[in-house]
Amino acid sequence: MKNLRVILFLGIALVFGACSTQPPMLIKDSVTIADGTVSGSFDESTGITTFKGIPFAAPPVGDLRWKAPQPVEPWEGVKECTEFSASPMQATPMPFSMWTQEFIAPKEPLSEDCLYLNVWTPAKDATEKHPVLVYIYGGGFSSGGSAVPIYDGVEMAKKGLVFITINYRVGTLGFLAHPELTAESPNNASGNYGLLDQVEALKWVNKNIAAFGGDPNNITIAGQSAGAFSVNYLVASPLTKGLIHRAIAESGGAVLSTNALARGGSLKSAEEAGVRFAESLGASSVEELRAKSTEEILSGAGLRNPIVDGYFLPKPVSEIFANGEQIDIPVIIGWNEDEGFGGAPVPAGQFKERVKQLFGDKADEFLAKFPLKTDEEAFAIQNDLGALQTFGIQSYKWMQLQNKKVTSKVFMYRFERDVPYADGMSDFGAFHTGEVPYAYNNLKMSPRPWTEADYKLADLMSDYWVNFATSGDPNAEGLPAWEAASPDNLKAMRFNSTSACGDLPSIELLKFLDTFYSN
């Protein structure tokens, strides 16, 4: 009898033990994802766990050079992910012009083996569901990397996001098209490998981010410059349907063919350029090209432009948006006041002659609208034109098309804060990329002489970005109201030492450019 009681007791204990709920594994210890287990680094002072250098695709080397990203080889044991991976192959990153070191990828390591991402999470375990923001770097599709200091994710994670930065292939290694590459592709396409890397990273996020306490049903993509062009391409591509839920495009877009990054040339013309590239290196086949060293590939004429490849991008972005075929999600879009690349402004008389070259048979219409009576007026409008022709007009047209064909809201902005500069730096005003350390609350990554007004602006902008990633609306109690923009409500948030939503700046010039580029 006694033995029977013991057996019954043990049996009941085993049953209850099997049914009891074990506490979830702490993210700061390790995270198990589809391909294996990873460990990161936990900071007691911030409560944030950081994972750096997680592979999201196989290394695109050897026979995988110029192929769509392939699956990661699963691993045994725990992969330590505490250091950034190599940045993609490119010319040695060096500070230049207004872009000091905090805006630039590290000089090394650089490698074709670069398809890795980084995760910052505030979650303690996988039961939490934080909104997710995936940041895509700029660099003209020819440079950049996820290890740039101002892309650090700690501060955004402290505000409640799971923040992710990704690498993608750039330059010729990311965008070469060639008839042989098209023929060997199961998708009958070549080029756009850097954009396909971004899609693969988003697939990884959807599949794995819940293990880091992120919500796979609440993913925002954000990017600046080429990253913003990427965001526009991703929103237009049929390959991202179901993968993204909101988008932020800072200084970039491809709804108008205003420059090479937005032009979306044909696959055929890109293939012809690829053949010429191969011939310039003495290669008569893709096999011979793949045998070339990375240094030899980088020595050739760089190819870096996204194209209409018939797969990632079945049609030009302008046509996709005009037909309302893009993903219908809320967006934040905008530009910076002083981000033109037109060189030093010229006096009014000289600029009037330049206007004739710029606008052809619409030059008289331009001069009638903007008479340029003084050199000061000419200087001001040249500054506006520099920012609008590549960046501002894309935001304006995107807003128009979104309001015309789909239902999700558009929130527009212009960043107008003159970024402080230290001894040895120059005053570039509200320059291209200048908003990034503000939007992601990363002023601490820079030695610039920030003031209290700068820190307040960074806190405000990052709050808006977090709110938007959380709900699709940047507004919240205690913040200046930010109205959605439409052709009937031309409003934008003007970010400066005092920020407020007001009339869309440079509207008459935007309307002229819209007419000019749309015809």
Side-chain angles (χ1 to χ4, degrees):
M1 227 13 221
K2 182 177 179 181
N3 289 339
L4 179 60
R5 287 198 298 268
V6 171
I7 292 169
L8 285 172
F9 176 80
L10 289 173
I12 292 169
L14 286 170
V15 168
F16 276 96
C19 295
S20 65
T21 301
Q22 295 294 321
M25 181 177 291
L26 294 178
I27 286 172
K28 69 178 182 178
D29 295 329
S30 64
V31 171
T32 298
I33 56 177
D35 301 307
T37 300
V38 294
S39 65
S41 56
F42 176 70
D43 187 334
E44 292 278 359
S45 65
T46 63
I48 304 304
T49 307
T50 302
F51 299 82
K52 296 178 179 178
I54 304 175
F56 66 85
V61 300
D63 289 342
L64 297 186
R65 182 191 274 178
W66 299 308
K67 282 190 177 180
Q70 300 298 304
V72 170
E73 186 73 29
W75 60 87
E76 299 291 335
V78 179
K79 181 184 288 290
E80 186 177 285
C81 294
T82 56
E83 301 289 337
F84 286 119
S85 72
S87 299
M89 285 302 303
Q90 58 195 277
T92 302
M94 297 285 287
F96 66 105
S97 189
M98 66 280 289
W99 297 293
T100 43
Q101 186 60 58
E102 71 273 24
F103 290 84
I104 305 295
K107 290 182 181 180
E108 54 184 26
L110 305 175
S111 174
E112 288 189 68
D113 180 4
C114 64
L115 298 185
Y116 299 82
L117 53 75
N118 317 295
V119 179
W120 290 260
T121 178
K124 300 298 179 285
D125 60 61
T127 63
E128 300 179 36
K129 284 193 174 182
H130 294 266
V132 179
L133 190 146
V134 180
Y135 185 80
I136 305 168
Y137 53 77
F141 291 120
S142 61
S143 64
S146 63
V148 171
I150 59 169
Y151 306 157
D152 185 83
V154 168
E155 294 303 319
M156 296 300 266
K158 284 166 63 177
K159 291 193 174 193
L161 297 185
V162 173
F163 191 82
I164 299 170
T165 59
I166 65 174
N167 276 351
Y168 60 93
R169 287 170 280 182
V170 298
T172 303
L173 291 164
F175 291 92
L176 176 75
H178 191 283
E180 289 183 37
L181 292 173
T182 302
E184 72 177 29
S185 166
N187 308 308
N188 198 34
S190 61
N192 288 345
Y193 299 108
L195 294 170
L196 291 173
D197 293 340
Q198 296 172 17
V199 174
E200 193 67 19
L202 290 172
K203 290 179 180 177
W204 184 98
V205 171
N206 274 260
K207 182 166 60 176
N208 293 297
I209 205 60
F212 296 85
D215 183 355
N217 296 311
N218 192 4
I219 295 171
T220 298
I221 55 171
Q224 185 270 340
S225 194
F229 285 90
S230 296
V231 166
N232 201 174
Y233 285 119
L234 291 166
V235 171
S237 175
L239 302 187
T240 58
K241 283 183 168 41
L243 299 181
I244 54 179
H245 308 96
R246 331 192 191 288
I248 301 173
E250 302 168 34
S251 302
V255 290
L256 286 170
S257 299
T258 58
N259 62 74
L261 299 187
R263 206 150 286 144
S266 70
L267 174 60
K268 185 176 185 299
S269 62
E271 287 175 337
E272 291 169 351
V275 169
R276 292 193 296 272
F277 174 82
E279 290 173 346
S280 74
L281 295 186
S284 60
S285 67
V286 166
E287 182 181 7
E288 291 180 11
L289 266 184
R290 284 181 172 139
K292 299 286 184 182
S293 68
T294 52
E295 290 74 20
E296 289 175 290
I297 298 299
L298 290 179
S299 71
L303 303 172
R304 59 174 181 146
N305 298 331
I307 59 169
V308 180
D309 63 352
Y311 173 59
F312 172 84
L313 201 63
K315 292 181 283 191
V317 174
S318 58
E319 188 176 336
I320 292 170
F321 269 67
N323 295 336
E325 296 168 351
Q326 75 273 31
I327 303 172
D328 186 0
I329 55 177
V331 297
I332 288 177
I333 48 180
W335 73 98
N336 295 2
E337 185 174 18
D338 304 310
E339 61 183 348
F341 298 102
V346 298
Q350 191 175 341
F351 181 58
K352 287 179 182 178
E353 292 302 313
R354 188 175 292 178
V355 165
K356 297 175 184 177
Q357 299 173 357
L358 285 171
F359 300 117
D361 58 8
K362 285 191 170 288
D364 289 341
E365 179 184 343
F366 179 90
L367 293 171
K369 289 179 178 290
F370 311 103
L372 307 177
K373 295 177 182 178
T374 66
D375 288 345
E376 287 71 23
E377 288 177 340
F379 294 156
I381 204 163
Q382 287 172 78
N383 189 68
D384 276 356
L385 269 176
L388 296 179
Q389 284 180 290
T390 300
F391 307 115
I393 188 58
Q394 298 286 356
S395 297
Y396 179 67
K397 191 66 175 182
W398 188 338
M399 176 274 294
Q400 287 186 310
L401 292 172
Q402 177 128 332
N403 277 278
K404 185 176 181 180
K405 288 291 187 176
V406 297
T407 60
S408 296
K409 290 182 178 180
V410 179
F411 297 91
M412 297 189 72
Y413 75 89
R414 186 169 80 168
F415 180 80
E416 301 172 351
R417 176 67 174 170
D418 288 350
V419 180
Y421 55 98
D423 291 343
M425 300 180 187
S426 298
D427 180 7
F428 289 98
F431 62 80
H432 188 61
T433 327
E435 89 291 348
V436 171
Y438 291 86
Y440 302 95
N441 208 23
N442 271 328
L443 302 188
K444 66 179 182 180
M445 306 307 290
S446 172
R448 292 172 183 265
W450 308 111
T451 67
E452 183 180 355
D454 293 300
Y455 286 107
K456 286 183 177 178
L457 177 55
D459 193 44
L460 176 69
M461 282 190 74
S462 57
D463 275 351
Y464 280 130
W465 265 230
V466 170
N467 294 340
F468 179 79
T470 302
S471 69
D473 189 326
N475 291 289
E477 186 176 352
L479 302 181
W482 187 346
E483 298 178 47
S486 71
D488 298 323
N489 191 53
L490 295 172
K491 300 292 184 180
M493 181 61 69
R494 311 273 293 266
F495 287 117
N496 209 324
S497 53
T498 299
S499 300
C501 189
D503 292 338
L504 186 66
S506 306
I507 185 56
E508 293 305 318
L509 193 50
L510 283 167
K511 288 178 177 178
F512 173 84
L513 291 173
D514 182 29
T515 302
F516 177 74
Y517 286 117
S518 297
N519 292 335

